[in-house]
Amino acid sequence: MSRFMTIWLPRWPVQRRLREHPEWRNVPVFVSRRERRGVMTVASWAWADAPREAAGGLRAGHALRIPAGTSLAEAMALLALTYGSRACHVSQVVPDDPAADQAVLERVARWCRRFSPAVATATVDDAARSSRAPEADPHASPDCLFLDVTGTAGFFGGESMLVRTTVWTLAARGLHARAAIADTPGAAWAAAHHTHLLANDGVTISPRSAGRRPRRWAVVPAGEQTSLLSGLPLAALRLDAATTTALREVGIDTVGGVLKLSAKSLTSRFPATLGLRRAQLTGTRAEPLACGSGTESLPQMSHAFELPIPTTTFTEGMLAAVLERLLTGCVSPLAARGEGVLALQVRLEPPAGMGMATSTPTVIDVGLFRPSISPRHLLELVQLRLGRLRLPRELDGIVVEVVAAGAAACRQRALFADATDGAGTRDTSADRTAAVDMLLDRLSGRLGRDAVFEPRPVADAQPEHAWIPSAPVDSAARPTTTSHRDRARGSAPAGAPLRLTGRRPIWMPARPVRVEPLQAELIAVTAIDPAAERQPPLRFRLAGQVHRVVQFHGPERIETAWWRGPIVRRDYYVVETETGGRFWLFRRLKDGAWFLHGVFA
Amino acid sequence: MEPRYAELHCTSNFTFLTGASHPEELVQTAAALGYEALAITDQSTLTGIVRAHAAAKQAGLKLIVGARLEPCDAAPLVVWATDRTGYANLCRLLTRGYARAAEERGAAESERCILTFDDVAAHAGGLLAGVPLAAIVQPASCHDRLADRPTVQMAAGTQDTAIEHLAHWRSVFDDRIWALAEVALEGDDDDRLREFARVARHAGVPVAAAGDVRYHERTRLALADVLTAVRLGSTVEAIRGQLLTNGERHLHERWRIAGRFAALPGALDRTVEIAGRCTFSLDELKYEYPEANVPPGRTAREHLARLAWKGAAQRYPGGIPEKVRELVAHELALVAELGYEAYFLTVFDIVRFARRRGILCQGRGSAANSAVCYCLGITSVDPARMNVLFERFVSRERQEAPDIDIDFEHDRREEVIQYIYATYGRERAAMTAEVISYRLRSAVRDVAKALGFSLDRVDRIAGAIDVGDGVEDLPTRLAEAGLDPASDACTRLAALVGSLVGFPRHLGQHVGGMVMTRGLLSDLVPIQPATMDGRTIVQWDKNDLDELGILKVDCLALGMLSAIHRAFDLVAGTGGPRLTLATVPAEDPAVYEMISRADTVGVFQIESRAQMSMLPRLRPRCFYDLVIEVAIVRPGPIQGDMVHPYLRRRAGEDPVTYPNDAIREVLEKTLGVPLFQEQAMRLAVVAAGFTPGEADQLRRAMGAWRRPGLIEEFRRKLIDGMLARGLSQQFAEQVFGQIRGFGEYGFPESHAASFALLVYVSAWLKHHHPAAFTAALLGSQPMGFYAPAQLVRDAKAHGVKVLPVDVNASRWHATLEGRLKAGPDTQPAIRLGLEQVYGLGEAAGRRIETARRDGPFRLPRELARRAGLDREALLHLARAGAFASLGLDRRRAVWEAMRCLERPDSRPLLDNLDDEGDDDGDLLPLLSPEEEVVADYRTAGLSLTAHPLQFDRDWLTASGVATVADAVGLPEGRRVQVAGIVLTRQRPATAKGMIFLTIEDETGAANIVVHPNVWEAADLAARRAAVLVVHGRIQRRGAVVHVVSTRLESAAALRPEPSTAAALPRMSRDFC
């Protein structure tokens, strides 16, 4: 007899974010989704610590129901109606990120291995279905964990203790979960989602907690699922909307109604899913868990050292040795498939016992500019950061995870090194690149990643906006998984070269420098003389020094940037002075003032 | 002295989403700058040219007709028409390009013009060409943008290509080609000009200056950027690298141009020379009516007269009345004098075709209601039945084409249009274009998107804008959408929107205007395919055609004609007489009695809330009263404040007075209040001394363009004119207000008369044949104000029996069962059609009809097999309860239908062995009566068994809600609560934001008036609820009772479950 536990993490996309931003517990949080036409809808929402009393004296929990798929504008209107418009102003709206939701869920799944070795975020059937038709149900994102707990309950003092421990351990880590144990994953799923509807007789349920919150857990005794779950609504069968509607149409609205149908009516009238779900609930069809298959996507690699150690007895050398071993363990499988590490995370985990308040691990994130397969190089980068951290007093374990990997540059130095190296110590270009990369990694290790950049040209008519700082990443080595941060920052508008023909200098001041034209030398401007509007000053003073112009090009007129502020209107000239200096001057057309905006070599 | 110059390369906003100025603006600016001439050279189109032509005539500027072409296998070029031949060639060339695009890419690409070098070469006669060098000559020097590399000369090969391109075109145009040098302060202008000169010299082509103008003045730079962003479907910020870097592409002062081209002597003089060679003007276009098919040996005049007198004899079998005889003779003389015979014969030909095919049609428009048209069968409005109407049916003093619109049955108009194409040929007939312009909402939407506002924000702003809003309302609307109107982003938005409103956006198809010519139409104007398959449109809209005096006939579609036709058929089919529009008995007092009771659900035009509340006050007694009724409830008279004065005068409350005799003559038939558009125009003539032409200009100024300055000018002229004729200032202001109201929304008397006939016919049908009338309306949905549920309800209230949809009895459309006998109480019953079943397609419905000929169906599966229905169709039928005759209630029917296979043709061999009453069907719970009714509403939009609110009555009564029947009996001012299904939501533009609701419970329908603030306060409930509870006060105006609402509530929210109200879907037709 198998036993399964299903852990449901309600409103998972919001829960995940609340864990990352505990300060959001006080405000409504909306995870929004951009629909095809550009309309924003609510994918999931919650207000963890909502005020008990809503605006009209209504009980808040009952007053406000915002189903997934509601447009964001409407959701805000409803929110304002219930809690007043202030609630809207303070609310957090974040775009959905199913990949990240899934990734974090996988991490929780990994953590849950302490309850059972077989943990999955989906069953094999569902995983196959979602890979076949990922768009089938746009509002369904995984929010459950399935555990095969056959025979493991004994270690925790029985099934009710196991399910209770699971729920409370997760709660201690800031996760709100509901869980149930039953004969099949399907039955456990049904029970976990409907703990509030289960009757006390026969089912072991958590005692009704204070504050009328739903019961947290339930255990359906072996062999009893069909009788005990038949009162649950159709939703307990994990059906798609169309099947549910079809059943309702003929007056069937409980699990029991479906169980009563003959196999013949079932197969001749309803999609195959219904029969499958029924069989999965009753156990006439086994539903294996999709363990292991989903966990590979993120992180790429992970190695953990899991012995509780007081850091006081831990020398730096020992730490380095452990880290190197872990790093090597991570790198070698990657190297074997021609990839190197682009980003990794080292977590020094403090001991976090059951029921204790969570303490956050010490996290070291290391990003590289080019994939590396050298554990030594990686260790050096970790140590650069480690030196500046205060370690926790006690460690529960050390985890190294490769967060992103990229194709490593292929080098065959070893084989033909003699041929080129014969003459002496000649750098190959590959070596030089490697050296530059090393320098970049070290510089950013010291200065911070954002302080090291290269300018990239941007198609923008206004010279000071015509470039942006950009991370010096080789385009060939773009990470295979874009990090969340990169996406948030938005990539620079590349491509589409600017149609300007004018020259651009190599040096530009941070802001244009005021230049004083010397009036006496300026040709008298008359309205009818077309040349007058097309001439720079023949002498000008710059930083106390007088320059005399001998030759000029231009003007190049720029009128732009009206969409981001006042319009910028300038006439640019390239001028050559007596002393051979070549300057880039412009006249501000608004008032005729002159500025220096660059120097040519 | 300033140099002479003509701008030869200028793009107007008719190159959609590229040019940023109206042709008029360009023309006026060029004239003010003293240019010799201006060429409007839009990309592959002549759509803007007529407007430019009119503006140029007024400004005294020479306009050159041209276009910019981009052949797919040669360098782009600009061409200019020197003479009529050149112009015809240009039109044919563009027509060819559009036709090719349609052939190659299909109708979806109807806006593309694909040309080849050979096409241009074949049509080069009479055209001059200019090749913009900037497009083919690479910049002479290339700079790395960030490094300061030395100037790199382009590889010689690149410039050689430019020379080849030029030489290639020179081989076509010989000495009629110039190279156009265009520079725009891009940093190395002089280098560029030198390079241009070199290339042109090598190719042996002279260089002329040009500006590649995109807008008339520098300030349009930002708008041009926005248009580029809209064109590319992106934001300005995102495409900033593709924008022009400065605003030099405008019309410059001539001295400035001279300075710019100083390095290229002679370049300016050549522009003047080119302009001198282009002598063509649009005034040369001579329009010729198509040749009518006149029998040999007879002139068109004789033929028309013969047809008219023959028709008259048929119309008046008892002898032609003297009045009509005089009218016909007079009109024929006038037609002959103006040479419009061919026009009347053309219209006659179209109408004759429709009649042969049995398509109901009805002409309207000033010329349509002439006695001649009545005799020709173009209209059915008997001139003997009308009073004076035709005193100026064709204006002698104005050279304006006569105006006839013809309404055809909605679903058969396409036959008429295809007939016209077939008769006149696609070379001689095409549809009129309609220039779709930016309105406030679309302008805000596009500009806000281009400025990078988030899409929800854009939706919210656009949603806040009402139909009647002007640019000046924008700040208020922005504030409503939660933006600060004073912020930079919003001022920018408002300014750009202000310029963009009125810009043409794309070329659509006019609803029905057909242009026909004697010669080739493509010699006159380019023709392009419309987005609708099988249609072609000319590049001009109706104003352009008017300007050039080109004839069009409007062939419009009217749903009511289809319904009337259907009703005539049903009447004849049940043993009644065979009726036509002209033979419906006239002036039946019982019909007028019914109309005066406002018992007009379903009647053409007078079924709306506004009309219904007017009817008991106006109490129409004769046909002309209906004409007034149709005209009076229009935005024009309402905005001009003419309704109440008319009603008071009609009721004898106010004296009927006229300031002088001339005005009396104009206004006598409407008791001194102008109600028709012609009267308002005529008033300008007799009271303010306008010429008829000026009066017409005035009307147009009020309507289409709405330029504040222009209107003010007319206003002063009008009021001065009236004061000078001794009329009071107050009267003058009043007349101005009235004319203003008529500008866009007025109804000419002749249109009203044609519509009034359909009002009368439909009302007659409703009174004498309510079953046939209702069945016909059900078959013509969607139409009018009422949903099928209300039509059926109204029919039942008039004693008509209505039978439910059934697969063994219903046809696709509603039918009549039983026959018509003498006596008022023996109406046949209506059998609802399969069209009432939601989700069932017409093809499936027709198959059921056909399959039933082999005998009735006994099982749903059998039906599916015989009629080839899929499971979904069967389910739709089952849900609609259409299997009742098979002894299956809804739920059982659905259960049976579910068993059918997805596709009828893929059934397994052993299907028949399946046992019959197989399985769990008996386990299913039965539907309760209220579930039945709710299901009726969900699946067919109506129920024949009960009204849903019946089931909620208990708790409604307990909450103090009265029935509608009780409520309308209450005295004025009494507080009341009523509940009902929302049938319609209306927000007329004329009602200052007031919302009108119609709600219905089991006792009847009630009219609710909602103030905007009450509406806003109840936002969500009021906008979405299927069933509303209305708190309000009774307001009585004569026989009309309203509930003026103070609070709205959703019944579902009041008592969520298990009320019937909460289960109902939304039923209402919303007009707001």
Side-chain angles (χ1 to χ4, degrees), chain A residues 343-394:
Chain A
L344 61 82
Q345 187 177 67
V346 177
R347 282 198 307 270
L348 308 175
E349 290 192 332
M354 307 292 177
M356 265 175 60
T358 45
S359 45
T360 47
T362 308
V363 177
I364 300 169
D365 277 307
V366 177
L368 286 88
F369 289 106
R370 195 183 277 271
S372 168
I373 52 167
S374 157
R376 242 169 204 295
H377 177 45
L378 295 171
L379 179 63
E380 187 189 342
L381 297 176
V382 173
Q383 280 178 317
L384 278 173
R385 300 279 304 276
L386 209 54
R388 285 184 290 166
L389 289 172
R390 187 194 299 175
L391 294 180
R393 220 171 315 135
E394 213 178 339

Side-chain angles (χ1 to χ4, degrees), chain A residues 34 37-40 72-74 77-78 81 246-252 260-262 264-265 268-270 456-461 465-467 493 496-506 527-530 533-534 553-560 562-567 569 571 582 600-601, chain B residues 2 139 141-148 151 184-191 218 221-223 225-226 236-238 240-249 255-256 258-260 445 451 455-456 459-460 488 492 496 871 875 879 891 894-896 898-900 914-915 918-920 923-925 1020 1024:
Chain A
R34 185 175 290 281
R37 254 199 72 252
V39 179
M40 304 292 286
L72 195 57
E74 193 186 330
L78 288 168
L81 214 63
L247 283 167
R248 288 234 177 89
E249 202 172 356
V250 290
I252 298 171
K260 258 191 279 177
L261 292 177
S262 68
K264 193 165 143 201
S265 1
S268 62
R269 291 191 168 82
F270 298 99
R456 262 169 204 258
V458 171
D460 193 308
H465 289 288
W467 64 277
L498 192 58
R499 51 189 307 286
L500 272 185
T501 55
R503 304 161 203 222
R504 293 294 180 264
I506 190 150
I528 207 71
D529 179 7
E533 60 158 357
R534 310 176 57 190
H553 290 274
E556 177 186 350
R557 176 163 295 178
I558 285 174
E559 290 168 291
T560 187
W562 56 267
W563 57 89
R564 54 185 170 228
I567 187 164
R569 303 185 60 217
D571 272 357
R582 293 209 287 152
F600 294 86
Chain B
E2 279 202 63
S141 53
C142 255
H143 300 278
D144 192 298
R145 295 213 2 90
L146 287 166
D148 174 40
T151 304
L185 288 188
E186 286 177 325
D188 54 355
D189 286 0
D190 287 349
D191 294 348
R218 183 182 296 279
L221 163 71
L223 185 61
D225 289 349
V226 165
V236 175
E237 179 77 27
R240 59 197 196 275
Q242 285 151 273
L243 300 171
L244 296 172
T245 53
N246 60 34
E248 290 296 302
R249 310 293 171 119
W255 61 265
R256 212 181 277 276
R260 203 160 281 180
R445 198 174 268 287
L451 291 182
L455 288 174
D456 331 311
D459 279 344
R460 211 178 309 166
D488 278 356
R492 219 174 278 144
L496 287 164
R871 186 166 178 265
L875 279 172
R879 289 183 191 126
R891 199 163 262 172
V894 169
W895 184 250
E896 289 300 321
M898 277 181 167
R899 232 176 104 193
C900 290
D914 233 339
D915 54 11
D918 61 339
D919 40 26
D920 313 325
L923 298 175
L924 303 176
L1020 274 167
R1024 308 174 127 239

Side-chain angles (χ1 to χ4, degrees), chain B residues 174-193:
Chain B
D174 198 25
D175 64 337
R176 291 177 292 126
I177 185 167
W178 288 264
L180 298 181
E182 293 159 344
V183 287
L185 288 188
E186 286 177 325
D188 54 355
D189 286 0
D190 287 349
D191 294 348
R192 246 167 118 56
L193 287 178

Side-chain angles (χ1 to χ4, degrees), chain B residues 574-597:
Chain B
T574 46
R578 181 85 237 175
L579 295 161
T580 67
L581 285 182
T583 57
V584 166
E587 305 296 65
D588 183 340
V591 172
Y592 287 108
E593 178 53 38
M594 180 189 82
I595 293 175
S596 299
R597 282 200 311 270

Side-chain angles (χ1 to χ4, degrees), chain B residues 436-463:
Chain B
I436 313 292
S437 296
Y438 272 104
R439 298 252 165 173
L440 187 62
R441 187 178 299 187
S442 47
V444 166
R445 198 174 268 287
D446 277 3
V447 174
K449 257 194 256 177
L451 291 182
F453 285 73
S454 77
L455 288 174
D456 331 311
R457 184 68 63 156
V458 174
D459 279 344
R460 211 178 309 166
I461 304 171

Side-chain angles (χ1 to χ4, degrees), chain A residues 530-544:
Chain A
E533 60 158 357
R534 310 176 57 190
Q535 216 166 44
L538 296 187
R539 280 199 322 153
F540 62 90
R541 197 198 310 270
L542 176 66

Side-chain angles (χ1 to χ4, degrees), chain B residues 342-580:
Chain B
Y343 175 70
F344 279 83
L345 287 171
T346 306
V347 175
F348 171 70
D349 181 50
I350 297 170
V351 168
R352 190 175 51 182
F353 163 77
R355 263 211 313 270
R356 262 205 313 268
R357 283 287 189 91
I359 303 170
L360 277 192
C361 62
Q362 163 85 333
R364 59 191 161 102
S366 56
N369 286 331
S370 57
V372 168
C373 282
Y374 180 71
C375 295
L376 292 176
I378 293 168
T379 173
S380 301
V381 179
D382 185 348
R385 202 165 144 190
M386 295 279 299
N387 281 326
V388 276
L389 236 184
F390 321 111
E391 69 268 19
R392 26 181 307 283
F393 82 91
V394 173
S395 152
R396 186 178 279 151
E397 57 259 61
R398 274 184 295 150
Q399 278 300 309
E400 193 188 63
D403 168 24
I404 297 183
D405 300 347
I406 314 170
D407 291 317
F408 294 95
E409 280 180 52
H410 175 262
D411 37 9
R412 303 191 63 186
R413 182 185 58 148
E414 191 58 29
E415 294 174 40
V416 177
I417 288 176
Q418 292 307 331
Y419 167 76
I420 294 172
Y421 274 130
T423 313
Y424 297 88
R426 284 180 183 271
E427 304 77 33
R428 289 179 173 75
M431 299 200 76
T432 312
E434 180 158 11
V435 176
I436 313 292
S437 296
Y438 272 104
R439 298 252 165 173
L440 187 62
R441 187 178 299 187
S442 47
V444 166
R445 198 174 268 287
D446 277 3
V447 174
K449 257 194 256 177
L451 291 182
F453 285 73
S454 77
L455 288 174
D456 331 311
R457 184 68 63 156
V458 174
D459 279 344
R460 211 178 309 166
I461 304 171
I465 290 169
D466 279 336
V467 179
D469 284 353
V471 177
E472 64 280 1
D473 298 317
L474 195 54
T476 328
R477 300 300 175 219
L478 289 172
E480 283 171 16
L483 292 165
D484 174 10
S487 66
D488 278 356
C490 286
T491 24
R492 219 174 278 144
L493 176 73
L496 287 164
V497 167
S499 328
L500 187 59
V501 167
F503 260 49
R505 189 158 66 147
H506 59 94
L507 208 55
Q509 173 187 318
H510 183 260
V511 286
M514 297 289 298
V515 183
M516 286 157 274
T517 49
R518 180 178 300 174
L520 280 182
L521 185 56
S522 58
D523 278 359
L524 194 68
V525 53
I527 304 172
Q528 61 183 69
T531 33
M532 193 188 281
D533 224 10
R535 299 268 180 93
T536 50
I537 54 174
V538 298
Q539 285 189 337
W540 290 337
D541 74 0
K542 64 178 188 345
N543 294 332
D544 295 337
L545 295 170
D546 272 2
E547 177 76 35
L548 299 177
I550 295 175
L551 157 109
K552 73 173 179 25
V553 179
D554 279 351
C555 300
L556 304 165
L558 194 60
M560 183 47 86
L561 278 173
S562 304
I564 289 176
H565 190 175
R566 211 160 264 146
F568 285 168
D569 286 350
L570 287 167
V571 169
T574 46
R578 181 85 237 175
L579 295 161
T580 67

